Amino acid sequence: MSQAAPFFSDEEKQYFHRPSMAETLRLASEQSGKNPMAIILDYWKIRRATGKLSVQEFLNYRLYDNQQSNADPKTFISESLHWQITNLCSDINWRSNTEDKWLSYELLNRYGVPTPKTLAILDQGIRDFGNHEKISSASHLADFLSRVDSFPLFAKPNNNMCSFGAFVIEGYDDQIVSLGELGTITCDEMLEKVIGEECYLFQALIENHPAIKTVARYTPTVRTMNLVDRDRVITPATLLKIPVGNNIADNYWRKGNLLCNLDLDTGVIQRVIRGKGPETEELESHPETGVRLLGLQWPCWPELRELNEKCAKLFAPVRYQSLDIAVTEAGPMVVEINSGGSFELPQLASAEGFLSPEVSDFFQSCGWSPK
């Protein structure tokens, strides 16, 4: 069976058709009162800085607007440098231990780290998945879904990033699979039109900690940014991603999702935003529920910090890494550990550059040479 392209929902397709730079520049001009040429001249002054920001990134961080941003533009770092730096900092032989989700969970579980419960794995190849149930045909999928005790289920590709291709199975009845807002589909159609040759994990939906059930229907996660030094773990940024409405995942590219800056020591939300660039909104409360977010302390913070430290050391060869950690009634749970981590998220959340002297020194100690 073949598949021409990965499965993308309509919402995901919109991600690849973002506003042009010209449109963003026009909006930035209207917002700041500066003419477009003045904004470009401001960018021109920092274009050769260490962080190598593009014009689009300069606009996305609103560095053109002195009334909105007091941050030093020269401390911001471009996403284009992410993999170059990540590969210098980390043992690339460990990449499969982070990017292959099943393998990552197996390693984490071996050391007692809580992760989402994987109920089955759909893979039509020869690969074996140990004690996990493997689904390799439409009939087997139908049999598995008929035995599921409780819906919904979360389905995600084993290797994709940013939740691309993920979907929620809301129910199953008489050979028909309900995908919620995506409609209904047969098991044969799911394999042909959605799964194809991809490997998918079927997981129980994570139940949020009681203290945050009013914050999100689906799972918010804390993103920790870790630098593993020779004798310590440095965490220069912690942020929170909150899915809004019917968004099934917390990735910030999903329209309407929120991004929050967290105090590292206390887990208190210091800043809440929605959108980026000229369309950035700073909020104090949840836009749908009205729950006040600014000043809210995220639950289980000491336990979350301890779990982050444990995982960072377990994956120490990945010296620049990030974790996504959910908080359930039973405590923190690792949803993913990543090689590297987006520079964009901490910079948007905090409105400050990620390239502090400490971070810059660490990257340079790994062989990065800023020019």
Side-chain angles (χ1 to χ4, degrees):
M1 180 180 294
S2 62
Q3 185 177 11
F7 165 70
F8 293 117
S9 67
D10 290 340
E11 181 186 22
E12 289 172 333
K13 292 173 185 176
Q14 290 300 312
Y15 171 80
F16 299 100
H17 299 283
R18 288 166 285 182
S20 67
M21 189 183 73
E23 175 63 12
T24 305
L25 184 59
R26 183 187 67 78
L27 293 172
S29 178
E30 289 180 359
Q31 181 194 74
S32 64
K34 290 184 177 180
N35 68 58
M37 184 55 70
I39 293 174
I40 294 299
L41 286 175
D42 285 344
Y43 166 72
W44 199 252
K45 294 173 187 175
I46 62 98
R47 76 193 190 285
R48 296 186 185 278
T50 302
K52 300 293 188 295
L53 289 185
S54 67
V55 178
Q56 187 70 60
E57 290 172 320
F58 182 81
L59 297 172
N60 285 346
Y61 296 128
R62 296 197 296 179
L63 296 174
Y64 54 83
D65 193 343
N66 297 332
Q67 306 256 338
Q68 294 286 336
S69 175
N70 297 317
D72 180 358
K74 294 180 181 179
T75 63
F76 283 74
I77 183 168
S78 173
E79 196 70 12
S80 66
L81 298 177
H82 173 265
W83 284 113
Q84 174 192 337
I85 291 173
T86 299
N87 290 340
L88 285 170
C89 291
S90 303
D91 182 347
I92 61 172
N93 293 314
W94 268 68
R95 183 66 52 80
S96 61
N97 290 319
T98 60
E99 303 308 319
D100 187 301
K101 293 179 177 61
W102 177 80
L103 186 60
S104 177
Y105 290 144
E106 288 294 291
L107 182 55
L108 290 167
N109 293 160
R110 173 66 177 81
Y111 287 89
V113 175
T115 63
K117 184 178 181 180
T118 299
L119 302 176
I121 299 161
L122 197 160
D123 185 280
Q124 297 183 83
I126 198 173
R127 183 177 180 182
D128 186 79
F129 294 92
N131 293 329
H132 281 103
E133 179 174 358
K134 178 184 173 182
I135 300 168
S136 55
S137 67
S139 60
H140 192 167
L141 175 60
D143 176 63
F144 164 73
L145 292 175
S146 69
R147 290 184 276 110
V148 171
D149 293 330
S150 178
F151 290 96
L153 299 182
F154 193 77
K156 63 184 180 184
N158 187 46
N159 294 101
N160 279 9
M161 295 185 289
C162 304
S163 77
F164 291 134
F167 58 93
V168 169
I169 300 176
E170 296 283 0
Y172 175 75
D173 183 54
D174 194 25
Q175 301 295 315
I176 300 297
V177 186
S178 172
L179 303 183
E181 292 188 338
L182 296 178
T184 58
I185 196 170
T186 67
C187 291
D188 284 303
E189 289 171 334
M190 180 183 288
L191 263 66
E192 182 66 35
K193 298 179 180 180
V194 178
I195 304 297
E197 295 180 347
E198 292 280 350
C199 173
Y200 263 75
L201 307 184
F202 292 115
Q203 298 181 326
L205 212 61
I206 297 171
E207 186 168 347
N208 291 330
H209 187 281
I212 57 175
K213 282 188 176 181
T214 57
V215 172
R217 176 187 175 190
Y218 290 106
T219 308
T221 62
V222 172
R223 165 67 61 93
T224 58
M225 312 291 293
N226 294 324
L227 312 175
V228 184
D229 214 341
R230 288 176 175 80
D231 57 353
R232 60 181 178 141
V233 176
I234 304 165
T235 305
T238 51
L239 52 108
L240 173 67
K241 301 174 291 174
I242 301 178
V244 173
N246 292 323
N247 285 339
I248 64 169
D250 62 4
N251 305 84
Y252 198 51
W253 62 263
R254 293 179 182 271
K255 189 175 181 180
N257 280 356
L258 305 179
L259 190 61
C260 309
N261 194 42
L262 294 173
D263 181 86
L264 174 63
D265 295 324
T266 64
V268 170
I269 296 177
Q270 298 178 312
R271 185 169 183 259
V272 184
I273 65 167
R274 176 170 59 179
K276 65 177 70 171
E279 298 178 333
T280 302
E281 298 175 75
E282 293 202 32
L283 307 171
E284 294 186 359
S285 301
H286 194 288
E288 292 183 344
T289 66
V291 173
R292 185 170 176 82
L293 297 174
L294 201 63
L296 177 69
Q297 182 173 34
W298 210 242
C300 305
W301 193 250
E303 296 87 348
L304 188 149
R305 288 284 308 278
E306 183 179 347
L307 183 63
N308 176 66
E309 180 97 0
K310 178 178 181 177
C311 291
K313 291 178 178 177
L314 178 59
F315 282 74
V318 187
R319 296 188 62 202
Y320 173 45
Q321 55 173 250
S322 61
L323 277 81
D324 291 323
I325 305 175
V327 180
T328 73
E329 188 170 15
M333 168 187 289
V334 174
V335 177
E336 283 190 7
I337 183 165
N338 310 292
S339 292
S342 166
F343 296 140
E344 181 182 57
L345 291 178
Q347 293 179 148
L348 285 173
S350 66
E352 295 178 355
F354 186 64
L355 202 59
S356 66
E358 182 178 47
V359 172
S360 180
D361 288 347
F362 177 84
F363 286 163
Q364 290 182 64
S365 74
C366 293
W368 180 55
S369 180
K371 296 179 181 178

